[in-house]
Every structure is written in structure tokens, then in C-alpha cells.
Amino acid sequence: MRGLGKSRRTSRAVTVGLCAAAFAAALTAAPAQAHEAGKAAHWALKDSGSDVRFRGLSAVNRDTAWVAGAKGTVLRTTDGGASWRNVSPPGAADLEFRDIEAFDARRAVVLAIGEGEASRVFRTDDGGATWTESFRNTDAKAFYDCLTFFDRRHGLAMSDPVDGRFRILSTSDGGRSWKVLPSDGMPAAQDGEAGFAASGQCLVSAGSHDAWLATGGGAHARVLHSTDRGLTWKAAETPIPAGDPARGVFALAFRDRAHGLAVGGDYRADQASPQAAALTPDGGRTWTPAAQPPPAYRSGVAWLPHSRTSALAVGPTGTDLTTDGGRTWRTLDTGSYDTVDCTPDLGCWASGEKGRVARLER
């Protein structure tokens, strides 16, 4: 039986690997060749039935995804985007949801951003039929931006600096309760430094203990790394320009503890973003600018499933693909999206303004 089980696992791994290779090939093929073969990968828009901006996105698989956005809106699909159910928390119409982390089709945690009590966390265990408010910020100086979870129990949330240091919330029960972590292990923030609540990707994690926090607005755009679930952090400068409240690192993606991508730039439409991407091979200790970055500001980034070298970056002016680990990027699509998320079963989703939600298909 052991041999049979191993054979099945090996067969499944090979099948997934072959599918992933075909998936990547559909993206990387020359457009004429791909269309001729009927394999061109593209964003297929799904009618969400909403016109709000969805900056929060959590993909569970190809069939199930959650989006969260303006006016306290949360939607969920379980049929690949063919239909969407409005599962918004009651009484939340005045809140701005910017991040959502879903564990499956029934359990999810959503973050509302803003000053003071506008920053809140809600959790559902029944697909959004009911919600419980598990955290409400009472510090007028705090402004929460992003969430991340290491597993179904352990997670973090981050706030812009309070008294000169970024503030970290921690949960060990799946978001049912939260506590503020001590600030002793957090480096001092730069003047004007903050996170960007643009895509739910300014705080990300990989593995059971590693987390990364992206910043902008200060003299340097930085990435802070924790190896102990948020207790202590080390900061590293990135080559992405900052020095202005509109510039910095907006999103991060790590495929493991070592290899990461950073994207950002200047979110103002009339400003150029000449160095909008960077990569790290050492867990964020050092960052190298992309030799050929995306052509404009990008707010979201995600590694393609089962790939060591391919990833997608999205922003208001388009979607870009890298096939060499973030060294070079080329534009695939010019549609507007704020965030992107991919799942192990080769499901990639994106969401953004005017209720836009799409799934990558071929």
C-alpha cells in the first residue's frame, strides 16, 4: 500500500507539473502562435454584478474566490465566477475593505482600513451568512493596511507607524481574537513612511514563520522581514523609488522563504514609474532592480502556480508577465486590475475598479 500511495502521489505531481507547464506555455507563447493553437491565456471577465472597487481578493481555487472592496462589500463565487453572492457584513456600508484572507468556501477574514475605529477585522465561518467583528482599532494614531496568514490559525495584520514604529497585530485562533505585539523588535520608521492599502499585499507570508512588510512614502522604499511571526523585524532598502507619499513598494510575493518579488512605483496616473519592480534571492536581505521592469505603476503581484520563474504583476494600466524570476517583464493585457492571486490548481484571479473580476483562462 505504501508503494501504491507513493505511485499515486507521484502520478498526481507529474500531472500537475505538466498542466502547470502547459499553463505557463500558454502565457509565454508568441501571440500569433498561441491564438493559432487556441491556447492563448487571457483574463476572462466575470460579471460580479457590482460597480465598487475590489482591492481585496482571496482565491481558494479555480472555482472559489472572495473579493472585498468599497462600501463594505464582500462577494463570493463557488462556480468559477459564473455567479456571485453578496455576503457583505451587515451594517458595514461605510467601511472600506482592502484585504481578505479566505481559508475555504466558508471561512474568511476581512480587513477594513482607515483611521481610528474605521480599521476593523471581521470573520465568517459560514460562507458570509453571518460575520463576527473580532477587532476594532481604538487608537486614533493607528491605520491598518493589510492581513496575512501563515496557516488557518496564525496570522498578522499591520498598521502604519504608531509612535515611530509599524504596529503589528497577531492572532493564533484564525482571526477570532487579536493582540498588539510589542514594538521592541520593530525598527524605527522613516519620516513619512507607511504601507499602501492598495491590494492586500503590503504584508505577506511564506511558510510557518516568515513575513514581509512593504513600505513607501519615506526616503527609501523598504521591505521589513520577520522570521518569528512578527516579533522581530529587519529592514532592507529596495531600488523602487520613494521619497514621496505616492511612491514606494505596493505589493510583495514570495514563492518560498528566499525568493521574492516587489512591485510598486508612483500611483498617480500622470507620474512615471521607471523602476516599478525588484527581486530578492535571499529572503529580502538584498533587492535587485528588474532589468526590464513593468512599464508603469503596479499594485499587485503573484507567482504562477508550480513555477519557479513565472509571475504576474497587475495595475491600473495592465498586466505583465515575468518568466525569469522577475528580471524582465512584458505586458500581456492592458485592462485595469488592482490585485492578483493564484492557487495550486492553476487558478489565477484578478480584481479592481468598477466591479472588475477576472479569471485567467485559455
Side-chain angles (χ1 to χ4, degrees), residues 169-246:
L169 277 182
S170 175
T171 180
S172 59
D173 55 13
R176 295 177 179 86
S177 65
W178 298 83
K179 64 178 181 180
V180 176
L181 293 181
S183 62
D184 302 358
M186 178 66 70
Q190 304 171 97
D191 290 342
E193 192 174 25
F196 293 107
S199 61
Q201 295 178 325
C202 59
L203 179 68
V204 301
S205 56
S208 60
H209 287 79
D210 287 81
W212 294 265
L213 183 162
T215 83
H220 303 280
R222 303 195 298 173
V223 172
L224 281 63
H225 178 206
S226 172
T227 60
D228 53 15
R229 290 184 180 165
L231 291 175
T232 60
W233 299 78
K234 291 184 178 179
E237 294 180 6
T238 77
I240 295 177
D244 184 281

Coordinates of all heavy atoms in Angstrom, one line a residue, residues 169-246:
L169 N -0.5 43.4 14.6 CA -1.5 42.6 15.4 C -1.2 41.1 15.1 O -0.8 40.8 14.0 CB -2.9 42.9 14.8 CG -3.7 44.1 15.3 CD1 -5.1 44.1 14.7 CD2 -3.8 44.1 16.8
S170 N -1.5 40.3 16.1 CA -1.3 38.8 15.9 C -2.6 38.1 16.3 O -3.3 38.5 17.3 CB -0.1 38.4 16.7 OG 0.1 37.0 16.7
T171 N -2.8 37.0 15.6 CA -3.9 36.1 16.0 C -3.4 34.6 16.0 O -2.5 34.3 15.2 CB -5.1 36.2 15.1 OG1 -6.1 35.2 15.5 CG2 -4.7 35.8 13.6
S172 N -3.8 33.8 16.9 CA -3.4 32.4 16.9 C -4.7 31.5 16.9 O -4.6 30.3 17.1 CB -2.6 32.1 18.2 OG -3.3 32.4 19.4
D173 N -5.8 32.1 16.6 CA -7.1 31.3 16.6 C -7.9 31.6 15.3 O -9.1 31.7 15.3 CB -7.9 31.6 17.8 CG -8.2 33.0 18.0 OD1 -8.0 33.9 17.1 OD2 -8.7 33.4 19.1
G174 N -7.1 31.8 14.2 CA -7.8 32.0 12.9 C -8.5 33.4 12.7 O -9.4 33.5 11.9
G175 N -8.1 34.4 13.5 CA -8.7 35.7 13.4 C -9.9 35.9 14.3 O -10.6 36.9 14.2
R176 N -10.2 35.0 15.2 CA -11.3 35.2 16.2 C -10.9 36.2 17.2 O -11.8 36.9 17.8 CB -11.7 33.9 16.8 CG -12.3 32.9 15.8 CD -12.6 31.5 16.4 NE -13.2 30.6 15.5 CZ -12.4 29.8 14.7 NH1 -11.1 29.8 14.8 NH2 -13.0 28.9 13.9
S177 N -9.6 36.4 17.5 CA -9.2 37.3 18.5 C -7.8 37.8 18.1 O -7.1 37.1 17.4 CB -9.1 36.8 19.9 OG -8.2 35.7 20.0
W178 N -7.5 39.1 18.5 CA -6.2 39.7 18.1 C -5.5 40.4 19.3 O -6.2 40.8 20.2 CB -6.5 40.7 17.0 CG -7.1 40.1 15.8 CD1 -8.4 39.9 15.5 CD2 -6.4 39.8 14.6 NE1 -8.5 39.3 14.3 CE2 -7.3 39.3 13.7 CE3 -5.0 39.8 14.2 CZ2 -7.0 38.8 12.4 CZ3 -4.7 39.3 12.9 CH2 -5.6 38.9 12.0
K179 N -4.2 40.5 19.2 CA -3.5 41.2 20.2 C -2.4 42.0 19.5 O -1.8 41.6 18.5 CB -2.9 40.3 21.3 CG -1.8 39.3 20.8 CD -1.3 38.5 21.9 CE -0.2 37.5 21.4 NZ 0.4 36.7 22.5
V180 N -2.1 43.2 20.1 CA -1.0 44.0 19.6 C 0.3 43.5 20.1 O 0.5 43.2 21.3 CB -1.1 45.5 20.0 CG1 0.1 46.3 19.6 CG2 -2.4 46.1 19.5
L181 N 1.3 43.2 19.2 CA 2.6 42.7 19.6 C 3.5 43.8 20.1 O 3.3 45.0 19.7 CB 3.3 42.0 18.4 CG 2.6 40.7 17.9 CD1 3.4 40.2 16.7 CD2 2.5 39.7 19.0
P182 N 4.4 43.5 21.0 CA 5.3 44.5 21.4 C 6.1 45.1 20.3 O 6.4 44.5 19.3 CB 6.3 43.7 22.4 CG 5.5 42.5 22.7 CD 4.7 42.2 21.6
S183 N 6.5 46.4 20.4 CA 7.2 47.1 19.3 C 8.7 47.1 19.5 O 9.4 47.6 18.6 CB 6.7 48.6 19.3 OG 7.0 49.2 20.5
D184 N 9.2 46.4 20.5 CA 10.6 46.4 20.8 C 11.4 45.9 19.6 O 12.5 46.3 19.3 CB 10.9 45.6 22.0 CG 10.2 46.0 23.2 OD1 9.5 47.0 23.2 OD2 10.4 45.4 24.3
G185 N 10.9 44.9 18.9 CA 11.6 44.3 17.8 C 11.4 44.9 16.4 O 11.9 44.4 15.4
M186 N 10.7 46.0 16.4 CA 10.4 46.7 15.1 C 11.4 47.9 14.9 O 11.5 48.7 15.8 CB 9.0 47.2 15.1 CG 8.6 48.0 13.9 SD 8.5 47.0 12.4 CE 7.1 46.0 12.7
P187 N 12.1 47.9 13.8 CA 13.0 49.1 13.5 C 12.2 50.4 13.5 O 11.0 50.4 13.2 CB 13.6 48.8 12.2 CG 13.4 47.3 12.0 CD 12.1 47.0 12.7
A188 N 12.9 51.5 13.8 CA 12.2 52.8 13.7 C 11.8 53.1 12.2 O 12.5 52.7 11.3 CB 13.2 53.9 14.2
A189 N 10.6 53.7 12.1 CA 10.1 54.1 10.8 C 10.8 55.4 10.3 O 11.3 56.2 11.1 CB 8.6 54.3 10.8
Q190 N 10.9 55.5 9.0 CA 11.4 56.7 8.4 C 10.3 57.8 8.5 O 9.2 57.5 8.6 CB 11.8 56.5 7.0 CG 12.8 55.4 6.7 CD 13.0 55.2 5.2 OE1 13.9 55.7 4.6 NE2 12.0 54.4 4.7
D191 N 10.7 59.1 8.4 CA 9.8 60.1 8.3 C 8.9 59.9 7.1 O 9.3 59.7 6.0 CB 10.5 61.5 8.2 CG 11.2 61.9 9.5 OD1 10.9 61.3 10.6 OD2 12.0 62.8 9.4
G192 N 7.6 59.9 7.4 CA 6.6 59.8 6.3 C 6.4 58.4 5.8 O 5.6 58.2 4.8
E193 N 7.1 57.4 6.4 CA 7.0 56.0 5.9 C 5.6 55.4 6.3 O 5.1 55.6 7.4 CB 8.1 55.2 6.5 CG 8.2 53.8 5.8 CD 9.5 53.1 6.3 OE1 10.0 53.4 7.4 OE2 10.0 52.2 5.6
A194 N 5.0 54.6 5.4 CA 3.8 54.0 5.7 C 3.6 52.8 4.7 O 4.4 52.6 3.8 CB 2.6 55.0 5.5
G195 N 2.5 52.0 4.9 CA 2.2 51.0 4.0 C 1.1 51.5 3.0 O 0.4 52.5 3.3
F196 N 0.9 50.7 1.9 CA -0.1 51.1 1.0 C -1.2 50.0 1.0 O -1.0 48.9 0.7 CB 0.5 51.2 -0.4 CG 1.4 52.3 -0.6 CD1 2.8 52.1 -0.7 CD2 1.0 53.6 -0.7 CE1 3.7 53.1 -0.9 CE2 1.8 54.7 -0.8 CZ 3.2 54.4 -0.9
A197 N -2.5 50.4 1.3 CA -3.6 49.5 1.3 C -4.2 49.5 -0.1 O -5.4 49.8 -0.3 CB -4.6 50.0 2.3
A198 N -3.4 49.1 -1.0 CA -3.8 49.1 -2.4 C -4.3 47.8 -3.0 O -5.0 47.7 -4.0 CB -2.7 49.7 -3.3
S199 N -3.8 46.7 -2.4 CA -4.1 45.4 -3.0 C -4.1 44.2 -2.0 O -4.2 43.1 -2.4 CB -2.9 45.1 -4.0 OG -1.7 45.0 -3.4
G200 N -4.0 44.5 -0.7 CA -3.9 43.5 0.3 C -2.6 42.7 0.3 O -2.5 41.6 0.8
Q201 N -1.5 43.3 -0.4 CA -0.3 42.6 -0.5 C 0.9 43.4 0.1 O 2.0 43.1 -0.3 CB 0.0 42.2 -2.0 CG -1.1 41.2 -2.5 CD -0.8 40.9 -4.0 OE1 -0.4 41.8 -4.8 NE2 -1.1 39.7 -4.4
C202 N 0.6 44.3 1.0 CA 1.7 45.0 1.6 C 2.2 44.3 2.8 O 3.3 44.6 3.4 CB 1.3 46.4 2.0 SG -0.1 46.5 3.2
L203 N 1.5 43.2 3.2 CA 2.0 42.3 4.2 C 1.7 40.8 3.7 O 0.6 40.5 3.5 CB 1.3 42.5 5.6 CG 1.6 41.6 6.7 CD1 3.0 41.8 7.2 CD2 0.6 41.7 7.9
V204 N 2.8 40.0 3.6 CA 2.7 38.7 3.0 C 3.5 37.7 3.9 O 4.3 38.1 4.7 CB 3.1 38.6 1.6 CG1 2.3 39.6 0.7 CG2 4.6 38.9 1.4
S205 N 3.3 36.4 3.7 CA 4.0 35.4 4.4 C 4.3 34.2 3.5 O 3.7 34.0 2.5 CB 3.2 35.0 5.6 OG 1.9 34.5 5.2
A206 N 5.3 33.4 4.0 CA 5.6 32.2 3.3 C 6.1 31.2 4.4 O 6.9 31.6 5.2 CB 6.7 32.4 2.3
G207 N 5.6 30.0 4.4 CA 6.0 29.0 5.4 C 5.3 29.3 6.7 O 4.3 30.1 6.7
S208 N 5.8 28.8 7.8 CA 5.1 28.9 9.1 C 5.5 30.1 9.9 O 4.8 30.3 10.9 CB 5.4 27.6 9.9 OG 6.8 27.4 10.1
H209 N 6.6 30.8 9.6 CA 7.0 31.9 10.5 C 7.5 33.1 9.8 O 7.6 34.2 10.5 CB 8.2 31.3 11.4 CG 7.8 30.4 12.4 ND1 7.5 29.1 12.2 CD2 7.6 30.6 13.8 CE1 7.2 28.5 13.3 NE2 7.2 29.3 14.3
D210 N 7.7 33.1 8.5 CA 8.3 34.3 7.8 C 7.2 35.2 7.3 O 6.3 34.8 6.6 CB 9.2 33.8 6.6 CG 10.5 33.2 7.1 OD1 10.5 32.0 7.5 OD2 11.5 33.9 7.1
A211 N 7.4 36.5 7.5 CA 6.5 37.5 7.0 C 7.3 38.7 6.5 O 8.4 39.0 7.0 CB 5.6 38.0 8.1
W212 N 6.8 39.4 5.5 CA 7.4 40.6 4.9 C 6.4 41.7 4.9 O 5.2 41.5 4.5 CB 7.9 40.3 3.5 CG 9.0 39.3 3.5 CD1 10.4 39.5 3.5 CD2 8.9 37.8 3.4 NE1 11.1 38.3 3.4 CE2 10.2 37.3 3.4 CE3 7.8 37.0 3.4 CZ2 10.4 35.9 3.3 CZ3 8.0 35.6 3.4 CH2 9.3 35.1 3.3
L213 N 6.9 42.9 5.1 CA 6.1 44.1 5.1 C 6.7 45.1 4.2 O 7.9 45.4 4.2 CB 6.1 44.7 6.6 CG 5.3 45.9 7.0 CD1 5.2 45.8 8.6 CD2 6.0 47.2 6.6
A214 N 5.9 45.7 3.3 CA 6.3 46.7 2.3 C 6.0 48.1 2.6 O 4.9 48.4 3.2 CB 5.7 46.3 0.9
T215 N 6.9 49.0 2.3 CA 6.7 50.4 2.7 C 6.9 51.4 1.5 O 7.6 51.0 0.5 CB 7.6 50.8 3.9 OG1 8.9 51.2 3.4 CG2 7.7 49.7 4.9
G216 N 6.5 52.6 1.7 CA 6.8 53.7 0.8 C 6.6 55.0 1.6 O 6.4 55.0 2.8
G217 N 6.7 56.1 0.9 CA 6.5 57.4 1.5 C 7.7 58.0 2.1 O 7.8 59.2 2.2
G218 N 8.6 57.1 2.6 CA 9.8 57.6 3.3 C 10.9 57.9 2.3 O 10.7 57.9 1.1
A219 N 12.1 58.2 2.8 CA 13.2 58.5 1.9 C 13.5 57.3 1.0 O 14.0 57.4 -0.2 CB 14.4 58.9 2.7
H220 N 13.4 56.1 1.5 CA 13.6 54.8 0.8 C 12.4 53.9 0.9 O 11.8 53.8 2.0 CB 14.9 54.2 1.4 CG 16.1 55.0 1.4 ND1 16.9 55.2 0.2 CD2 16.7 55.7 2.4 CE1 17.9 56.0 0.5 NE2 17.8 56.3 1.8
A221 N 12.2 53.2 -0.2 CA 11.1 52.2 -0.1 C 11.8 50.9 0.5 O 12.8 50.4 -0.1 CB 10.6 51.9 -1.5
R222 N 11.2 50.4 1.5 CA 11.8 49.3 2.2 C 10.9 48.1 2.3 O 9.7 48.2 2.1 CB 12.2 49.7 3.7 CG 13.1 51.0 3.8 CD 13.7 51.1 5.2 NE 12.6 51.3 6.2 CZ 12.9 51.4 7.5 NH1 14.1 51.2 7.9 NH2 11.9 51.5 8.4
V223 N 11.6 47.0 2.6 CA 10.9 45.7 2.9 C 11.4 45.3 4.3 O 12.6 45.1 4.5 CB 11.1 44.6 1.9 CG1 10.5 43.3 2.3 CG2 10.4 45.1 0.5
L224 N 10.5 45.0 5.2 CA 10.9 44.5 6.5 C 10.5 43.0 6.6 O 9.5 42.6 6.2 CB 10.1 45.3 7.6 CG 10.7 46.7 8.0 CD1 10.6 47.7 6.8 CD2 9.9 47.3 9.2
H225 N 11.4 42.3 7.2 CA 11.3 40.8 7.2 C 11.3 40.3 8.7 O 12.2 40.7 9.5 CB 12.4 40.2 6.4 CG 12.4 38.7 6.4 ND1 13.5 37.9 6.3 CD2 11.4 37.8 6.6 CE1 13.2 36.6 6.3 NE2 11.9 36.5 6.5
S226 N 10.4 39.4 9.0 CA 10.3 38.8 10.3 C 10.4 37.3 10.1 O 9.8 36.7 9.2 CB 9.0 39.1 11.0 OG 8.9 38.3 12.2
T227 N 11.2 36.6 11.0 CA 11.3 35.2 10.9 C 10.6 34.5 12.1 O 10.7 33.3 12.3 CB 12.8 34.7 10.9 OG1 13.4 35.2 12.0 CG2 13.5 35.3 9.6
D228 N 9.9 35.3 12.9 CA 9.3 34.8 14.1 C 7.9 35.2 14.3 O 7.5 35.6 15.4 CB 10.2 35.1 15.4 CG 10.5 36.6 15.5 OD1 9.8 37.4 14.8 OD2 11.4 37.0 16.2
R229 N 7.2 35.2 13.2 CA 5.7 35.6 13.2 C 5.5 37.0 13.8 O 4.5 37.2 14.5 CB 4.9 34.6 14.0 CG 4.8 33.2 13.3 CD 3.9 32.3 14.1 NE 3.8 31.0 13.4 CZ 3.3 29.9 13.9 NH1 2.9 29.9 15.2 NH2 3.2 28.8 13.3
G230 N 6.4 37.9 13.4 CA 6.1 39.3 13.7 C 6.7 39.9 15.0 O 6.5 41.1 15.3
L231 N 7.4 39.1 15.7 CA 8.0 39.6 17.0 C 9.2 40.5 16.7 O 9.3 41.6 17.4 CB 8.4 38.4 17.9 CG 7.3 37.6 18.5 CD1 7.8 36.4 19.2 CD2 6.4 38.5 19.4
T232 N 10.1 40.2 15.8 CA 11.2 41.0 15.5 C 11.3 41.1 13.9 O 10.9 40.3 13.2 CB 12.5 40.4 16.0 OG1 12.7 39.1 15.4 CG2 12.5 40.2 17.5
W233 N 11.9 42.3 13.5 CA 11.9 42.6 12.1 C 13.3 43.2 11.7 O 13.9 43.9 12.5 CB 10.8 43.6 11.7 CG 9.4 43.1 12.0 CD1 8.8 43.1 13.2 CD2 8.5 42.6 11.0 NE1 7.5 42.6 13.0 CE2 7.3 42.3 11.7 CE3 8.6 42.4 9.6 CZ2 6.2 41.8 11.1 CZ3 7.5 41.9 9.0 CH2 6.3 41.6 9.7
K234 N 13.7 43.0 10.5 CA 14.9 43.6 9.9 C 14.5 44.3 8.6 O 13.8 43.7 7.8 CB 16.0 42.6 9.7 CG 16.6 42.0 11.0 CD 17.8 41.1 10.7 CE 18.4 40.6 11.9 NZ 19.5 39.6 11.7
A235 N 15.0 45.5 8.4 CA 14.6 46.3 7.3 C 15.7 46.3 6.2 O 16.9 46.3 6.5 CB 14.3 47.7 7.7
A236 N 15.3 46.3 5.0 CA 16.2 46.4 3.8 C 15.7 47.4 2.8 O 14.5 47.4 2.6 CB 16.4 45.0 3.2
E237 N 16.6 48.2 2.3 CA 16.1 49.2 1.2 C 16.0 48.4 -0.1 O 16.7 47.5 -0.4 CB 17.2 50.3 1.1 CG 17.3 51.1 2.4 CD 18.3 52.2 2.2 OE1 18.9 52.4 1.1 OE2 18.6 52.9 3.2
T238 N 15.0 48.9 -0.9 CA 14.8 48.4 -2.2 C 15.1 49.5 -3.3 O 15.2 50.7 -2.9 CB 13.4 48.0 -2.5 OG1 12.5 49.1 -2.7 CG2 12.9 47.1 -1.3
P239 N 15.4 49.2 -4.5 CA 15.6 50.2 -5.5 C 14.4 50.8 -6.1 O 14.5 51.7 -7.0 CB 16.4 49.4 -6.6 CG 15.8 48.0 -6.5 CD 15.6 47.8 -5.0
I240 N 13.2 50.4 -5.6 CA 12.0 51.1 -6.1 C 11.9 52.5 -5.5 O 12.1 52.6 -4.3 CB 10.8 50.2 -5.7 CG1 10.8 48.9 -6.5 CG2 9.5 51.0 -6.0 CD1 9.7 48.0 -6.2
P241 N 11.7 53.5 -6.3 CA 11.8 54.9 -5.8 C 10.7 55.2 -4.8 O 9.6 54.7 -4.8 CB 11.5 55.7 -7.1 CG 11.9 54.9 -8.2 CD 11.6 53.5 -7.8
A242 N 11.1 56.0 -3.8 CA 10.2 56.5 -2.8 C 10.3 58.0 -2.7 O 10.4 58.7 -3.7 CB 10.4 55.8 -1.5
G243 N 10.4 58.5 -1.4 CA 10.7 60.0 -1.3 C 9.4 60.8 -1.5 O 9.5 62.0 -1.6
D244 N 8.3 60.2 -1.6 CA 7.0 60.9 -1.8 C 5.9 60.0 -1.3 O 6.0 58.8 -1.4 CB 6.8 61.2 -3.3 CG 5.6 62.0 -3.6 OD1 4.5 61.5 -3.6 OD2 5.8 63.2 -3.9
P245 N 4.8 60.6 -0.7 CA 3.7 59.8 -0.2 C 3.1 58.9 -1.2 O 2.4 58.0 -0.8 CB 2.7 60.9 0.3 CG 3.6 62.1 0.6 CD 4.6 62.1 -0.4
A246 N 3.3 59.2 -2.5 CA 2.6 58.3 -3.5 C 3.5 57.3 -4.1 O 3.1 56.5 -5.0 CB 2.1 59.2 -4.7

